[in-house]
Amino acid sequence: MADIAGSTGLAKVMMPVPDPHPDVFDREWPLRVGDIDREGRLRFDAATRHIQDIGSDQLREMGYEETHPLWIVRRTMIDMLEPIEFKDMLRLRRWCSGTSNRWCEMRVRIDGRRGGLVESEAFWININRETQGPARIADDFIEGLQRTTDVDRLKWKPYLKAGGREDASQIREYPVRVTDIDIFDHMNNSVYWTVVEDYLFSNPELLHRPVRVTIEHDAPVSLGDKLEIISHVHPAGSTDQFGAELADRTVTTLTYAVGDETKAVASIFAL
């Protein structure tokens, strides 16, 4: 396995937690039965819900829930490094790792009290309620975020490209349920990660080693959409397209498509 230390892009190294630090948001709550798979492991979709929940809690505690209520996630990267298992207590720490005037990257580290570790980073865009487009973050809000990072010119750059149907290893429908739709009338971010869990169920060897999953969102999925998952498996030796650091390992991509429109793209590879 290649050493990805110092890498960027899909093989990037996430910022370590600045602990102790007064501006790291720190909370604990139990791992519950609705969060786990049949073996008692914290699932990716459940981890994503926790990442969303601590974000909402931090926004509320910072006093910006009313002035900055709408955010969309453009990319989430999750490293499942060591499994966190049922009945454990989760410690979640959230802090900013990069800012611009309309978006930011937020890190969340999840530790199990009895062991287990999940690291994540998400690219969040502040949205204007009226225009539904990116909106400037208030100066005092950015000032608070920047206390944990010196990155203040964060730019968006996609790491993934959609896979085509003609060379797919599998194409299957993924029904969108009414319970998948959130307050914004779109499929909730965490639901995209249930697709990843389905893939891992069919490839259990990835569940017993550290794995990185990244999802980039291009457009929302709505109720009634005929969502299809287009899978591609890129064997080791053919994966330098994802960065030279990943050329020695297999990378799987999952393209979330409605007709000819790409809604999201995921990548999965062992660390």
Side-chain angles (χ1 to χ4, degrees), residues 11-31:
K12 74 182 295 183
V13 175
M14 298 187 200
M15 173 188 177
V17 56
D19 189 31
H21 194 291
D23 293 290
V24 173
F25 191 69
D26 195 335
R27 289 293 181 270
E28 289 191 356
W29 56 67
L31 177 61

mmCIF file of all heavy atoms in Angstrom, residues 11-31:
data_model
loop_
_atom_site.group_PDB
_atom_site.id
_atom_site.type_symbol
_atom_site.label_atom_id
_atom_site.label_comp_id
_atom_site.label_asym_id
_atom_site.label_seq_id
_atom_site.Cartn_x
_atom_site.Cartn_y
_atom_site.Cartn_z
ATOM 1 N N ALA A 11 -6.883 11.334 -2.130
ATOM 2 C CA ALA A 11 -5.982 10.716 -1.154
ATOM 3 C C ALA A 11 -5.514 11.704 -0.096
ATOM 4 O O ALA A 11 -4.518 11.456 0.592
ATOM 5 C CB ALA A 11 -4.778 10.111 -1.871
ATOM 6 N N LYS A 12 -6.225 12.787 0.079
ATOM 7 C CA LYS A 12 -5.791 13.849 0.982
ATOM 8 C C LYS A 12 -5.662 13.356 2.417
ATOM 9 O O LYS A 12 -6.314 12.392 2.833
ATOM 10 C CB LYS A 12 -6.756 15.029 0.928
ATOM 11 C CG LYS A 12 -8.090 14.803 1.632
ATOM 12 C CD LYS A 12 -9.006 16.010 1.497
ATOM 13 C CE LYS A 12 -8.436 17.228 2.204
ATOM 14 N NZ LYS A 12 -9.371 18.389 2.138
ATOM 15 N N VAL A 13 -4.825 14.024 3.169
ATOM 16 C CA VAL A 13 -4.681 13.768 4.590
ATOM 17 C C VAL A 13 -5.520 14.796 5.329
ATOM 18 O O VAL A 13 -5.376 16.004 5.133
ATOM 19 C CB VAL A 13 -3.205 13.856 5.023
ATOM 20 C CG1 VAL A 13 -3.077 13.708 6.532
ATOM 21 C CG2 VAL A 13 -2.378 12.800 4.306
ATOM 22 N N MET A 14 -6.423 14.314 6.171
ATOM 23 C CA MET A 14 -7.294 15.223 6.911
ATOM 24 C C MET A 14 -6.531 15.893 8.046
ATOM 25 O O MET A 14 -5.626 15.313 8.653
ATOM 26 C CB MET A 14 -8.484 14.461 7.487
ATOM 27 C CG MET A 14 -9.386 13.825 6.452
ATOM 28 S SD MET A 14 -10.863 13.124 7.247
ATOM 29 C CE MET A 14 -11.397 11.975 5.964
ATOM 30 N N MET A 15 -6.929 17.122 8.329
ATOM 31 C CA MET A 15 -6.325 17.897 9.412
ATOM 32 C C MET A 15 -6.536 17.184 10.751
ATOM 33 O O MET A 15 -7.643 16.761 11.066
ATOM 34 C CB MET A 15 -6.982 19.283 9.452
ATOM 35 C CG MET A 15 -6.574 20.137 10.629
ATOM 36 S SD MET A 15 -7.578 21.649 10.706
ATOM 37 C CE MET A 15 -6.944 22.389 12.218
ATOM 38 N N PRO A 16 -5.489 17.033 11.549
ATOM 39 C CA PRO A 16 -5.665 16.414 12.871
ATOM 40 C C PRO A 16 -6.463 17.311 13.804
ATOM 41 O O PRO A 16 -6.491 18.535 13.646
ATOM 42 C CB PRO A 16 -4.237 16.217 13.368
ATOM 43 C CG PRO A 16 -3.434 17.230 12.619
ATOM 44 C CD PRO A 16 -4.090 17.375 11.274
ATOM 45 N N VAL A 17 -7.107 16.699 14.783
ATOM 46 C CA VAL A 17 -7.908 17.474 15.721
ATOM 47 C C VAL A 17 -6.988 18.359 16.561
ATOM 48 O O VAL A 17 -6.001 17.886 17.123
ATOM 49 C CB VAL A 17 -8.766 16.555 16.615
ATOM 50 C CG1 VAL A 17 -7.912 15.547 17.363
ATOM 51 C CG2 VAL A 17 -9.603 17.371 17.584
ATOM 52 N N PRO A 18 -7.261 19.663 16.641
ATOM 53 C CA PRO A 18 -6.456 20.552 17.490
ATOM 54 C C PRO A 18 -6.944 20.464 18.940
ATOM 55 O O PRO A 18 -7.719 21.291 19.418
ATOM 56 C CB PRO A 18 -6.704 21.937 16.887
ATOM 57 C CG PRO A 18 -8.072 21.836 16.269
ATOM 58 C CD PRO A 18 -8.259 20.403 15.860
ATOM 59 N N ASP A 19 -6.509 19.443 19.635
ATOM 60 C CA ASP A 19 -7.040 19.156 20.966
ATOM 61 C C ASP A 19 -5.909 19.222 21.992
ATOM 62 O O ASP A 19 -4.866 18.579 21.797
ATOM 63 C CB ASP A 19 -7.676 17.762 20.945
ATOM 64 C CG ASP A 19 -8.452 17.443 22.211
ATOM 65 O OD1 ASP A 19 -8.996 18.384 22.824
ATOM 66 O OD2 ASP A 19 -8.504 16.262 22.584
ATOM 67 N N PRO A 20 -6.051 19.997 23.057
ATOM 68 C CA PRO A 20 -7.242 20.775 23.408
ATOM 69 C C PRO A 20 -7.295 22.107 22.672
ATOM 70 O O PRO A 20 -6.259 22.687 22.355
ATOM 71 C CB PRO A 20 -7.068 20.988 24.907
ATOM 72 C CG PRO A 20 -5.575 21.005 25.105
ATOM 73 C CD PRO A 20 -5.015 20.048 24.096
ATOM 74 N N HIS A 21 -8.519 22.564 22.409
ATOM 75 C CA HIS A 21 -8.740 23.852 21.756
ATOM 76 C C HIS A 21 -10.143 24.325 22.122
ATOM 77 O O HIS A 21 -11.104 23.564 21.987
ATOM 78 C CB HIS A 21 -8.614 23.712 20.236
ATOM 79 C CG HIS A 21 -8.492 25.010 19.514
ATOM 80 N ND1 HIS A 21 -9.542 25.920 19.423
ATOM 81 C CD2 HIS A 21 -7.447 25.585 18.841
ATOM 82 C CE1 HIS A 21 -9.145 26.977 18.736
ATOM 83 N NE2 HIS A 21 -7.879 26.803 18.375
ATOM 84 N N PRO A 22 -10.287 25.569 22.562
ATOM 85 C CA PRO A 22 -11.599 26.044 23.018
ATOM 86 C C PRO A 22 -12.652 26.119 21.920
ATOM 87 O O PRO A 22 -13.852 26.166 22.221
ATOM 88 C CB PRO A 22 -11.300 27.442 23.580
ATOM 89 C CG PRO A 22 -10.022 27.860 22.905
ATOM 90 C CD PRO A 22 -9.249 26.601 22.719
ATOM 91 N N ASP A 23 -12.235 26.099 20.648
ATOM 92 C CA ASP A 23 -13.194 26.222 19.560
ATOM 93 C C ASP A 23 -13.466 24.896 18.858
ATOM 94 O O ASP A 23 -14.082 24.884 17.790
ATOM 95 C CB ASP A 23 -12.714 27.271 18.551
ATOM 96 C CG ASP A 23 -12.714 28.668 19.149
ATOM 97 O OD1 ASP A 23 -13.809 29.205 19.379
ATOM 98 O OD2 ASP A 23 -11.614 29.192 19.426
ATOM 99 N N VAL A 24 -13.038 23.802 19.449
ATOM 100 C CA VAL A 24 -13.444 22.476 18.981
ATOM 101 C C VAL A 24 -14.726 22.115 19.718
ATOM 102 O O VAL A 24 -14.751 22.055 20.947
ATOM 103 C CB VAL A 24 -12.343 21.426 19.236
ATOM 104 C CG1 VAL A 24 -12.865 20.026 18.901
ATOM 105 C CG2 VAL A 24 -11.107 21.740 18.409
ATOM 106 N N PHE A 25 -15.798 21.893 18.970
ATOM 107 C CA PHE A 25 -17.098 21.554 19.550
ATOM 108 C C PHE A 25 -17.081 20.083 19.940
ATOM 109 O O PHE A 25 -16.826 19.210 19.097
ATOM 110 C CB PHE A 25 -18.205 21.853 18.534
ATOM 111 C CG PHE A 25 -19.589 21.802 19.094
ATOM 112 C CD1 PHE A 25 -20.020 22.757 20.001
ATOM 113 C CD2 PHE A 25 -20.479 20.817 18.689
ATOM 114 C CE1 PHE A 25 -21.313 22.722 20.510
ATOM 115 C CE2 PHE A 25 -21.770 20.781 19.179
ATOM 116 C CZ PHE A 25 -22.191 21.730 20.105
ATOM 117 N N ASP A 26 -17.355 19.783 21.195
ATOM 118 C CA ASP A 26 -17.121 18.445 21.759
ATOM 119 C C ASP A 26 -18.390 17.949 22.439
ATOM 120 O O ASP A 26 -18.895 18.589 23.363
ATOM 121 C CB ASP A 26 -15.976 18.536 22.767
ATOM 122 C CG ASP A 26 -15.392 17.185 23.140
ATOM 123 O OD1 ASP A 26 -16.100 16.174 23.024
ATOM 124 O OD2 ASP A 26 -14.217 17.161 23.572
ATOM 125 N N ARG A 27 -18.921 16.801 21.960
ATOM 126 C CA ARG A 27 -20.154 16.249 22.522
ATOM 127 C C ARG A 27 -20.062 14.728 22.618
ATOM 128 O O ARG A 27 -19.284 14.097 21.899
ATOM 129 C CB ARG A 27 -21.362 16.632 21.664
ATOM 130 C CG ARG A 27 -21.754 18.101 21.729
ATOM 131 C CD ARG A 27 -22.281 18.463 23.109
ATOM 132 N NE ARG A 27 -22.683 19.869 23.203
ATOM 133 C CZ ARG A 27 -21.871 20.860 23.566
ATOM 134 N NH1 ARG A 27 -20.600 20.591 23.848
ATOM 135 N NH2 ARG A 27 -22.309 22.094 23.644
ATOM 136 N N GLU A 28 -20.884 14.138 23.477
ATOM 137 C CA GLU A 28 -20.977 12.688 23.591
ATOM 138 C C GLU A 28 -22.438 12.259 23.571
ATOM 139 O O GLU A 28 -23.309 12.964 24.084
ATOM 140 C CB GLU A 28 -20.320 12.196 24.889
ATOM 141 C CG GLU A 28 -18.815 12.302 24.909
ATOM 142 C CD GLU A 28 -18.216 11.558 26.102
ATOM 143 O OE1 GLU A 28 -18.988 11.041 26.945
ATOM 144 O OE2 GLU A 28 -16.976 11.479 26.183
ATOM 145 N N TRP A 29 -22.701 11.106 22.961
ATOM 146 C CA TRP A 29 -24.005 10.457 23.059
ATOM 147 C C TRP A 29 -23.844 8.980 22.720
ATOM 148 O O TRP A 29 -22.845 8.574 22.114
ATOM 149 C CB TRP A 29 -25.053 11.150 22.193
ATOM 150 C CG TRP A 29 -24.775 11.298 20.732
ATOM 151 C CD1 TRP A 29 -24.677 10.313 19.799
ATOM 152 C CD2 TRP A 29 -24.586 12.531 20.022
ATOM 153 N NE1 TRP A 29 -24.439 10.851 18.563
ATOM 154 C CE2 TRP A 29 -24.385 12.208 18.667
ATOM 155 C CE3 TRP A 29 -24.579 13.880 20.394
ATOM 156 C CZ2 TRP A 29 -24.178 13.175 17.683
ATOM 157 C CZ3 TRP A 29 -24.371 14.840 19.420
ATOM 158 C CH2 TRP A 29 -24.177 14.494 18.084
ATOM 159 N N PRO A 30 -24.818 8.146 23.094
ATOM 160 C CA PRO A 30 -24.647 6.703 22.914
ATOM 161 C C PRO A 30 -24.854 6.248 21.468
ATOM 162 O O PRO A 30 -25.575 6.880 20.700
ATOM 163 C CB PRO A 30 -25.720 6.088 23.823
ATOM 164 C CG PRO A 30 -26.579 7.196 24.286
ATOM 165 C CD PRO A 30 -26.008 8.491 23.832
ATOM 166 N N LEU A 31 -24.179 5.160 21.133
ATOM 167 C CA LEU A 31 -24.417 4.470 19.870
ATOM 168 C C LEU A 31 -25.641 3.582 20.066
ATOM 169 O O LEU A 31 -25.641 2.700 20.926
ATOM 170 C CB LEU A 31 -23.199 3.634 19.490
ATOM 171 C CG LEU A 31 -23.306 2.782 18.212
ATOM 172 C CD1 LEU A 31 -23.548 3.661 17.000
ATOM 173 C CD2 LEU A 31 -22.051 1.945 18.030
#
